[in-house]
């Protein structure tokens, strides 16, 4: 699903028509396997940045974790190097909820990639949806508990005043790491 959706979107953005035979077959496959709502987390992030997936359908990637003391095991700087380097920009983009320009092509893609109208998608349900072809290992009950707590408690709390000022500090800190 990840490769199919991202390749489909790339070809459409580059100007290929949705009626092209390969894209028609690709779209049929995407829709028959759960639509773009079932793309894995990295794909959800990419689609969110270009306006094809609502940010509320993503599991939180908390930028504030970069502010905890480095000696704590939850500090992202202590993660395995590849995880650390992926978490850094994703946490920044998640914190900013960055979305590129919504063009006519993006609006058309919203209709092409989902089996229901874009504005009717249940993003809470989509957050935990992953196509079976991309699911390497099902999440454990503990992982589901952590993601639910992050989505329903931590992220909403971090977006309320005055705690949301911490987000700005975390984003500036992440940008220093990126530089």
């Amino acid at each position: 699903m990840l490769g199919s959706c991202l390749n489909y979107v790339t070809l459409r953005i580059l100007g290929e028509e949705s009626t092209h035979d390969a894209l028609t077959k690709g779209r049929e496959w995407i829709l028959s396997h759960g639509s773009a709502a079932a793309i894995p987390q990295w794909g959800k992030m990419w689609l969110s940045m270009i306006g094809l997936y609502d940010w509320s359908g993503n599991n939180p990637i908390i930028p504030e974790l970069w502010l905890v003391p480095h000696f704590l095991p939850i500090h992202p700087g202590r993660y395995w190097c590849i995880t650390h380097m992926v978490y850094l920009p994703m946490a920044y983009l998640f914190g900013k909820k960055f979305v590129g320009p919504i063009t006519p092509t993006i609006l058309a893609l919203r209709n092409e990639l989902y089996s229901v109208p874009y504005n009717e998608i249940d993003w809470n349900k989509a957050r935990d949806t992953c196509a079976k072809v991309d699911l390497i290992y099902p999440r454990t009950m503990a992982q589901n508990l952590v993601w639910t707590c992050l989505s329903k408690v931590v992220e909403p709390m971090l977006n309320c005043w005055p705690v949301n000022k911490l987000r700005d500090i975390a984003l500036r800190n992440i940008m220093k790491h990126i530089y």
Side-chain angles (χ1 to χ4, degrees), residues 36-153:
I39 196 169
Q41 185 62 42
W42 285 18
K44 293 176 197 281
M45 293 285 298
W46 284 110
L47 294 182
S48 295
M49 286 183 266
I50 60 174
L52 292 176
Y53 196 95
D54 194 273
W55 277 106
S56 65
N58 283 273
N59 284 309
I61 302 175
I62 308 294
E64 290 79 4
L65 276 181
W66 286 93
L67 297 175
V68 302
H70 191 270
F71 67 85
L72 293 176
I74 63 169
H75 189 283
R78 298 178 60 85
Y79 297 170
W80 181 52
C81 64
I82 293 174
T83 306
H84 162 111
M85 294 311 291
V86 169
Y87 189 96
L88 185 67
M90 284 189 169
Y92 183 83
L93 292 164
F94 181 86
K96 282 287 194 182
K97 305 288 192 288
F98 173 83
V99 179
I102 305 301
T103 65
T105 302
I106 296 297
L107 293 174
L109 279 163
R110 285 180 175 182
N111 292 325
E112 295 166 24
L113 292 172
Y114 299 99
S115 51
V116 298
Y118 185 81
N119 60 348
E120 294 178 17
I121 296 170
D122 182 350
W123 296 111
N124 287 322
K125 182 180 174 189
R127 180 184 306 118
D128 297 320
T129 303
C130 183
K132 287 184 173 122
V133 296
D134 283 332
L135 188 60
I136 296 170
Y137 189 79
R139 290 194 326 206
T140 65
M141 187 183 297
Q143 288 171 313
N144 284 332
L145 180 64
V146 168
W147 285 121
T148 300
C149 287
L150 286 172
S151 303
K152 306 281 187 205
V153 178

